[in-house]
């Protein structure tokens, strides 16, 4: 999920280079088209559904990773703020905060003690408050996804609830995947 401030769903799709193709209601309706798009485009295009939430556009990618690619998120964030959280079925996850093309913070919610960006320590106290264990010891790995959503809410003021996600109408399209690069960055060794 990627939140971008001050953009309409259509403008975010434009910044992603996406073709607007359909509208659906609820995240469950995003699943089949996401997997179909991957198959239809052989991974060269990725399906994304975008909805408005307050002054923000929310992009949801059930089978995608555009919100983790520097080639995508840096230009999309120019002139605005972008907050992205990615997690796959193997619990590989990434959190990004960019302001005007500058990566302020990136980390893996499973390993929050290992952070990078121009301000990797600026939110340390907030990270602790929302539930991240910032020690290198045996961290509590049961709350990292909830903590990532809470940190995103702190940065955006947007509270994403299951009810909102299931009732929202998404403008959908497919966007090019730059260089068909792998979404997963190397993870730092655990502890």
């Amino acid at each position: 999920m990627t939140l971008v401030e001050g953009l309409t769903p259509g403008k975010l799709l434009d910044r992603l280079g996406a073709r607007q193709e359909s509208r659906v209601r609820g995240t469950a309706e995003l699943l089949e088209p996401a997997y179909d798009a991957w198959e239809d485009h052989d991974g060269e295009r990725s399906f994304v559904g975008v909805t408005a939430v307050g002054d923000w556009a929310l992009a949801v990618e059930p089978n995608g990773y555009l919100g983790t690619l520097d080639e995508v998120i840096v230009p999309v964030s120019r002139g605005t703020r972008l907050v992205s959280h990615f997690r796959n079925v193997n619990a590989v996850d990434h959190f990004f905060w960019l302001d005007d093309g500058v990566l302020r913070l990136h980390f893996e919610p499973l390993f929050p003690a290992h952070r990078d960006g121009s301000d990797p320590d600026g939110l340390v106290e907030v990270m602790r408050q929302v539930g991240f264990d910032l020690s290198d010891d045996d961290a509590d790995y049961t709350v990292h996804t909830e903590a990532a959503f809470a940190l995103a809410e702190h940065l955006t003021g947007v509270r994403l609830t299951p009810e909102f996600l299931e009732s929202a109408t998404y403008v959908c399209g497919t966007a090019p995947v730059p260089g068909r690069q792998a979404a997963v960055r190397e993870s730092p060794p655990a502890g």
Side-chain angles (χ1 to χ4, degrees):
M1 294 187 180
T2 303
L3 286 157
V4 184
E5 187 175 24
L7 297 183
T8 64
K11 291 284 185 193
L12 179 51
L13 285 172
D14 289 346
R15 283 195 183 194
L16 292 170
R19 295 178 270 202
Q20 295 184 30
E21 299 168 359
S22 63
R23 289 182 180 267
V24 300
R25 184 177 170 107
T27 53
E29 296 300 315
L30 297 172
L31 297 176
E32 187 175 334
Y35 287 98
D36 290 347
W38 187 263
E39 204 170 288
D40 293 346
H41 300 287
D42 197 28
E44 292 179 9
R45 297 189 71 80
S46 185
F47 179 84
V48 60
V50 184
T51 193
V53 54
D55 293 333
W56 294 75
L58 169 67
V60 179
E61 300 177 74
N63 188 36
Y65 54 91
L66 294 172
T68 69
L69 298 175
D70 291 339
E71 299 89 334
V72 173
I73 61 177
V74 170
V76 166
S77 75
R78 288 206 175 98
T80 189
R81 173 174 281 190
L82 179 147
V83 175
S84 177
H85 177 227
F86 165 86
R87 180 173 174 191
N88 72 11
V89 296
N90 298 316
V92 173
D93 56 359
H94 291 277
F95 187 96
F96 298 88
W97 165 31
L98 290 87
D99 275 329
D100 195 15
V102 176
L103 177 65
R104 302 282 305 273
L105 173 66
H106 164 256
F107 66 98
E108 292 182 63
L110 277 172
F111 307 102
H114 304 278
R115 299 174 303 282
D116 61 271
S118 67
D119 191 13
D121 298 327
L123 293 175
V124 164
E125 206 45 51
V126 174
M127 290 176 73
R128 282 191 184 103
Q129 289 171 7
V130 298
F132 285 110
D133 180 346
L134 299 179
S135 69
D136 274 329
D137 300 331
D138 294 327
D140 179 1
Y141 296 119
T142 62
V143 299
H144 64 281
T145 298
E146 292 87 348
F149 276 96
L151 183 58
E153 181 178 346
H154 171 82
L155 288 167
T156 65
V158 173
R159 183 177 187 88
L160 296 176
T161 65
E163 295 79 19
F164 171 79
L165 296 171
E166 287 311 314
S167 66
T169 298
Y170 298 87
V171 180
C172 304
T174 59
V177 178
R180 297 183 61 193
Q181 297 178 9
V184 180
R185 296 174 182 220
E186 268 192 54
S187 301

